């Protein structure tokens, strides 16, 4: 299969985008309300879109970026569910009820306000607000915001939805991707759903969204939320999308990290004098790996790149569907990543390897990216993908929280270095829909004045903005950042950086400027008290908590089955023993 793929590469859609010229900005009194499309890419680093200088081909995203605003200083949460909760509500994650993810929630926080692992009572999504404003609201893809009674998209403002309520899943079949889950919980309009036999996640997410779109009256504006599984672990994609990258990463992660940093310096994304942080200790020197190990890791990164390009291709098909229906010219696209690249791996724990083997997964290069393959990029490639920034997902370092944001269709092309955060997206969508009056009480701020060229900043240089997940925290004020990462990701104490001179976070100023450190720490404490950040238990490590939570969940799921199995075994053994005794 070529890159044109089975449903055709969307070259026509891209050509129409480029030829159409700047898209006007829409207001409530300037014609029909704009259609709104929110696209969330999973685990993409700042330069993972080629629009930001990366080597991975994303022509659909690039074409939209050339016609819209490309943000270079957007910050999000270091974990997926809190980011998604903020995007959909305009609130800090602790105020949404999803301060962290259930996989790493310690029991000491389980009953605390903000830690219910579901959208809290009284929290309203932008989908519900837009539906009240006359929009048709549609969602396909990853939800991960609760699956109990009243927790699914249908309960939070979406007219139609086909949602995965898990942190991830297999991309080729309805199978879980980690022992924490015993299944892949997909739901359509709130009811358990079964995936089709020809399922591939990115393709299916677009196919189902187009079906929902066809049910929408032509005159009715729509809000479409496409939450792709790409490029979350397991990294999987059709071979045709992986093929162009099979020899691309043979030089290793240090070489790619430096290559991306050089392009970032050349483009102005990263100041030329600023130093690049070293690779983390978890990433071994490439030359220390055996040739077969190098080949395997290079193949995994190729699959990651192929998965991104496949997702971009499917997004192009969605854009082509809008174009063919005459809807593209009145549609605003918001394209964003939920957090930085994932350092997760699945080959360094015997229990995980045993679980994967029992599920029929293979970890080698055979059919890598295809059905039955389980690929991941690990800390080495994650650090390279986050270049020129430090660290990756799970951490409050820049590599975990500074990610791409593109808004197209709400103003002319521009590059913005304004500091922005995930809660800003919901009020932006509301104002674009002519419902800016609904922004009261939100933590985020509308980006519409910036998109229209009426402002160059969203937050003042003296305003403090905080974030926190699982004890990993940051406080931004002007050019300074106070950051703390708990073990195993950091030392657990506050560090201070001047991001204007040192965006790679290589020179800790905490000891040299203790007054500023303490001032920002006090500002963080005020933020934490305002939004309800809970203290972490002593000795907390998210990796160990994940093991405990997964073990407890496995016991709850498989315990009764295991008990029955053990009981039957001993009954059979007793029968054999009795029969043997009688035969003697």
């Amino acid at each position: 299969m070529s890159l044109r793929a089975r449903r055709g590469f969307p070259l026509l859609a891209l050509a129409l985008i480029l030829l159409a010229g700047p898209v006007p900005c829409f207001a409530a009194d300037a014609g029909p309300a704009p259609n709104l499309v929110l696209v969330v890419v999973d685990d993409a680093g700042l330069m993972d879109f080629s629009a930001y200088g990366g080597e991975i081909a994303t022509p659909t995203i690039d074409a939209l970026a050339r016609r819209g605003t490309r943000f270079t200083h957007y910050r999000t949460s270091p974990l997926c569910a809190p980011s998604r909760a903020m995007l959909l509500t305009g609130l800090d994650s602790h105020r949404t009820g999803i301060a962290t993810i259930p996989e790493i929630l310690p029991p000491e926080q389980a009953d605390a306000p903000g830690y219910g692992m579901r959208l809290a009572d009284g929290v309203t999504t932008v989908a519900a607000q837009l539906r009240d404003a006359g929009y048709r609201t549609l969602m396909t893809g990853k939800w991960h915001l609760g699956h109990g009674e009243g927790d699914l998209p249908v309960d939070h403002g979406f007219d139609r939805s086909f949602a995965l309520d898990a942190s991830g899943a297999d991309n080729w079949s309805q199978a879980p991707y980690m022992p924490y889950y015993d299944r892949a919980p997909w739901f359509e309009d709130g009811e358990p759903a079964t995936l089709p036999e020809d399922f591939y996640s990115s393709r299916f997410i677009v196919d189902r969204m187009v079906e929902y779109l066809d049910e929408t009256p032509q005159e009715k504006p729509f809000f479409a939320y496409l939450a792709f599984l790409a490029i979350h672990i397991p990294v999987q994609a059709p071979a045709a999308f992986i093929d162009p990258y099979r020899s691309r990463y043979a030089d290793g992660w240090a070489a790619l990290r430096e290559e991306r940093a050089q392009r970032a310096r050349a483009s102005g994304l990263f100041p030329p004098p600023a130093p690049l942080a070293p690779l983390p200790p978890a990433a071994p020197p490439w030359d220390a790996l055996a040739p077969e190990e190098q080949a395997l890791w290079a193949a995994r990164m190729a699959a990651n790149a192929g998965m991104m390009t496949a997702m971009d291709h499917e997004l192009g098909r969605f854009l082509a569907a809008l174009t063919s229906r005459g809807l593209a010219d009145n549609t605003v696209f918001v394209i964003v990543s939920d957090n930085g690249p994932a350092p997760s791996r699945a080959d360094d724990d015997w229990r995980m390897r045993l679980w994967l083997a029992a599920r029929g997964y293979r970890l080698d290069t055979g059919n890598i990216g295809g059905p039955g393959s389980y690929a991941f990029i690990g800390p080495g490639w994650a650090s390279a993908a986050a270049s020129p920034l430090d660290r990756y997902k799970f951490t409050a370092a820049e590599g975990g929280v500074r990610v791409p944001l593109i808004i197209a269709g709400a103003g002319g092309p521009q590059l913005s270095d304004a500091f922005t955060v995930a809660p800003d997206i919901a009020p932006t969508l509301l104002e674009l829909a002519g419902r800016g009056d609904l922004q009261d009480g939100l933590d985020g701020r509308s980006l519409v004045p910036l998109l229209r060229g009426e402002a160059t900043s969203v937050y003042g240089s003296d305003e403090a903005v905080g974030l926190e997940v699982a004890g990993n925290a940051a406080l931004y004020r002007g050019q300074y950042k106070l950051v703390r990462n708990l073990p195993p990701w950091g030392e657990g104490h506050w560090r201070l950086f001047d991001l204007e001179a040192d965006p790679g976070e290589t020179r800790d100023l905490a000891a040299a400027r203790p007054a500023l450190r303490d001032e920002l720490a006090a500002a963080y404490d005020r933020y934490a008290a305002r939004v309800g950040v809970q203290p972490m238990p002593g000795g907390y490590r998210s990796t160990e908590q994940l093991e405990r939570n997964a073990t407890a969940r496995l016991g709850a799921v498989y315990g009764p089955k295991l008990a029955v199995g053990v009981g039957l075994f001993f009954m059979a053994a007793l029968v054999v023993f009795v029969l043997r005794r009688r035969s003697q």
Side-chain angles (χ1 to χ4, degrees):
M1 184 176 76
S2 71
L3 280 182
R4 296 183 181 275
R6 60 191 238 175
R7 285 177 170 83
F9 194 70
L11 294 177
L12 175 60
L14 297 182
L16 289 171
I17 293 175
L18 294 172
L19 292 173
V23 174
C25 183
F26 298 97
D29 58 352
N35 304 307
L36 303 170
V37 176
L38 174 60
V39 176
V40 176
V41 183
D42 210 320
D43 294 353
L46 179 63
M47 296 181 69
D48 271 335
F49 300 162
S50 47
Y52 285 81
E55 77 288 346
I56 301 175
T58 55
T60 304
I61 293 174
D62 297 353
L64 289 167
R66 284 192 292 270
R67 299 180 58 231
T69 301
R70 188 161 42 103
F71 292 85
T72 60
H73 284 274
Y74 168 79
R75 302 315 196 281
T76 184
S77 158
L79 281 178
C80 51
S83 296
R84 293 158 196 270
M86 291 191 289
L87 288 169
L88 289 176
T89 65
L91 300 174
D92 181 90
S93 58
H94 304 81
R95 295 184 63 203
T96 70
I98 302 179
T100 182
I101 59 175
E103 290 87 340
I104 62 172
L105 178 71
E108 294 87 344
Q109 294 178 340
D111 296 325
Y115 291 76
M117 301 300 96
R118 57 185 293 274
L119 291 174
D121 295 342
V123 171
T124 304
T125 68
V126 68
Q129 292 168 310
L130 290 172
R131 184 167 68 180
D132 290 345
Y135 275 72
R136 176 87 164 159
T137 52
L138 316 169
M139 185 268 171
T140 54
K142 176 174 165 179
W143 179 245
H144 201 208
L145 299 177
H147 62 268
E149 185 71 26
D151 291 341
L152 289 169
V154 68
D155 306 302
H156 288 285
F158 287 97
D159 294 310
R160 299 299 314 272
S161 60
F162 203 111
L164 171 70
D165 186 54
S167 56
D170 192 280
N171 294 281
W172 291 105
S173 66
Q174 193 157 0
Y177 82 106
M178 62 183 293
Y180 184 84
Y181 299 101
D182 66 315
R183 60 190 179 92
W186 286 91
F187 298 86
E188 184 165 31
D189 300 331
E191 298 297 327
T194 301
L195 300 176
E197 291 185 3
D198 65 345
F199 173 80
Y200 176 68
S201 64
S202 293
R203 183 175 63 231
F204 178 81
I205 285 167
V206 166
D207 283 348
R208 191 51 57 103
M209 182 60 75
V210 172
E211 290 180 17
Y212 293 163
L213 189 66
D214 284 340
E215 300 170 357
T216 303
Q218 188 83 0
E219 68 280 1
K220 193 176 183 70
F222 65 84
F223 168 55
Y225 173 34
L226 294 97
F228 288 100
L229 276 61
I231 47 178
H232 193 282
I233 186 173
V235 174
Q236 298 167 320
F241 292 100
I242 302 173
D243 288 343
Y245 304 103
R246 295 204 186 267
S247 61
R248 180 63 177 81
Y249 300 106
D251 292 337
W253 34 68
L256 180 65
R257 181 163 171 77
E258 181 59 36
E259 177 188 326
R260 286 197 179 190
Q262 289 178 3
R263 288 200 295 273
R265 291 186 177 106
S267 69
L269 193 63
F270 195 71
L276 186 66
L279 285 166
W286 187 254
D287 292 342
L289 301 178
E292 58 271 19
E293 291 179 294
Q294 293 181 350
L296 177 56
W297 281 112
R300 288 167 173 164
M301 189 59 177
N304 178 79
M307 190 178 190
M308 176 68 82
T309 299
M311 181 279 302
D312 182 87
H313 166 83
E314 301 302 337
L315 180 60
R317 285 201 309 110
F318 178 69
L319 182 55
L322 295 183
T323 302
S324 68
R325 291 159 176 79
L327 299 172
D329 288 344
N330 192 33
T331 298
V332 176
F333 277 82
V334 178
I335 305 170
V336 68
S337 174
D338 61 347
N339 46 246
S344 307
R345 53 187 300 181
D347 60 347
D348 58 349
D349 186 297
W350 68 268
R351 294 162 296 182
M352 184 64 179
R353 292 196 302 271
L354 183 63
W355 183 85
L356 290 171
R359 285 280 178 178
Y361 283 114
R362 56 189 301 175
L363 292 166
D364 58 10
T365 57
N367 191 38
I368 195 159
S373 167
Y374 199 100
F376 43 87
I377 64 174
W381 289 126
S383 183
S387 182
L389 309 174
D390 186 36
R391 301 301 167 106
Y392 26 60
K393 180 180 177 178
F394 304 117
T395 79
E398 290 293 270
V401 300
R402 185 179 168 191
V403 296
L405 166 65
I406 294 166
I407 301 180
Q414 62 176 317
L415 184 69
S416 174
D417 62 359
F419 177 85
T420 55
V421 289
D424 297 336
I425 300 304
T428 301
L429 295 173
L430 290 172
E431 185 165 356
L432 288 169
R435 293 310 310 268
D437 57 302
L438 298 176
Q439 297 179 52
D440 291 347
L442 301 185
D443 294 311
R445 300 179 183 177
S446 172
L447 304 179
V448 169
L450 190 149
L451 297 173
R452 291 175 173 167
E454 299 166 358
T456 58
S457 64
V458 183
Y459 296 88
S461 60
D462 60 342
E463 293 187 86
V465 180
L467 64 86
E468 187 273 348
V469 173
N472 303 320
L475 191 287
Y476 293 88
R477 194 183 73 183
Q479 69 196 74
Y480 294 104
K481 176 186 180 183
L482 190 72
V483 61
R484 178 191 67 209
N485 287 301
L486 299 186
W489 313 111
E491 303 81 9
H493 60 256
W494 287 120
R495 305 174 75 203
L496 175 65
F497 297 102
D498 178 349
L499 295 183
E500 190 172 286
D502 181 28
E505 296 175 297
T506 65
R507 295 187 292 263
D508 182 7
L509 304 176
R513 302 193 63 180
L516 178 60
R517 177 201 61 203
D518 293 346
E519 183 182 344
L520 295 182
Y524 174 82
D525 289 342
R526 290 192 294 273
Y527 153 77
R530 179 178 66 83
V531 301
V533 175
Q534 295 294 312
M536 302 307 298
Y540 174 86
R541 295 169 71 96
S542 60
T543 50
E544 295 175 359
Q545 191 64 55
L546 173 60
E547 290 184 10
R548 288 192 287 269
N549 290 356
T551 300
R553 191 175 175 100
L554 281 170
V557 171
Y558 296 109
K561 298 177 183 178
L562 184 61
V564 170
V566 170
L568 290 174
F569 172 80
F570 280 110
M571 287 179 61
L574 179 61
V575 170
V576 171
F577 174 76
V578 170
L579 290 175
R580 284 180 176 175
R581 293 276 296 186
R582 287 180 176 178
S583 65
Q584 291 177 350

